[in-house]
Amino acid sequence: MGNKASSSSLPPLQVVSNCETQRLMGTWFVIGVKPTMFETTCSNAVEKYTWLTDSKKNDIDIDFQYNQADPITSKLKSLPQKGWVQGSNKDNSAEWKVSPTWPIKMPYPIIEVDTTSYDYVVVGYPSRSYAWIMSRRPQMKESLYQDLTQRLVDKHHYSLEGLRKVPQHWTR
């Protein structure tokens, strides 16, 4: 899994220049993923971001829920995570860190975002081993999905090997 080029030969990922943290809060449906070990067979994957105004430990609570395999019929899993907004301006930063479990803190760079309506976001990973294409709705227009995957290749030097669409089916 990962990019065919070694990660040391890849340029640093370019994060978006404007990313209003508060506008990223709320529910995101995972539409496409270069998966971590938790996501190789998941469906109905949803992340909910909650900004913590008075927390001394982390900036964002992340509630990641998904069906383990088949939508609706397979076991619902939950992986609570913590997030930290990096940089001096936490109100507008595309550089986050996320912890699926202590003591791990993974880079979570926001490399594409719909700055008009915040309807989609793409999160990368420095080695290009992982990526997440997310939408505010459980379905994304195929033309937009294709555009975002092409940006992964052309702009961010990703291989699409291992990228999978995440089934999103919410009724029987």
Side-chain angles (χ1 to χ4, degrees), residues 72-85:
I72 302 172
T73 59
S74 67
K75 183 177 180 180
L76 183 65
K77 304 278 271 182
S78 181
L79 181 63
Q81 301 174 73
K82 297 180 184 313
W84 293 265
V85 180

Side-chain angles (χ1 to χ4, degrees), residues 36-68:
T36 66
M37 64 181 173
F38 303 108
E39 302 164 301
T40 57
T41 61
C42 72
S43 63
N44 287 355
V46 177
E47 295 195 3
K48 293 180 184 169
Y49 301 129
T50 303
W51 182 253
L52 304 173
T53 53
D54 296 326
S55 176
K56 304 243 187 288
K57 295 181 181 179
N58 57 295
D59 301 318
I60 302 165
D61 273 344
I62 302 168
D63 181 20
F64 176 47
Q65 293 189 358
Y66 57 97
N67 288 104
Q68 193 167 346

Side-chain angles (χ1 to χ4, degrees), residues 17 21 24 32 47 52 55-57 68 71 76 80 82 84 87 94 96-97 103 118 134-135 142 147 154-155 160 163:
S17 59
T21 306
L24 283 173
E47 295 195 3
L52 304 173
S55 176
K56 304 243 187 288
K57 295 181 181 179
Q68 193 167 346
L76 183 65
K82 297 180 184 313
W84 293 265
W96 295 11
K97 289 197 183 274
Y118 281 70
M134 296 185 279
S135 172
E142 186 61 25
D147 180 51
D154 296 342
K155 183 177 175 185
L160 298 182
L163 181 74

Side-chain angles (χ1 to χ4, degrees), residues 78-93:
S78 181
L79 181 63
Q81 301 174 73
K82 297 180 184 313
W84 293 265
V85 180
Q86 305 297 290
S88 59
N89 184 358
K90 291 183 183 261
D91 293 329
N92 193 324
S93 176

Side-chain angles (χ1 to χ4, degrees), residues 17-31:
S17 59
N18 183 36
C19 185
E20 297 174 47
T21 306
Q22 287 296 329
R23 292 187 71 189
L24 283 173
M25 297 302 109
T27 301
W28 290 97
F29 295 88
V30 182
I31 304 299

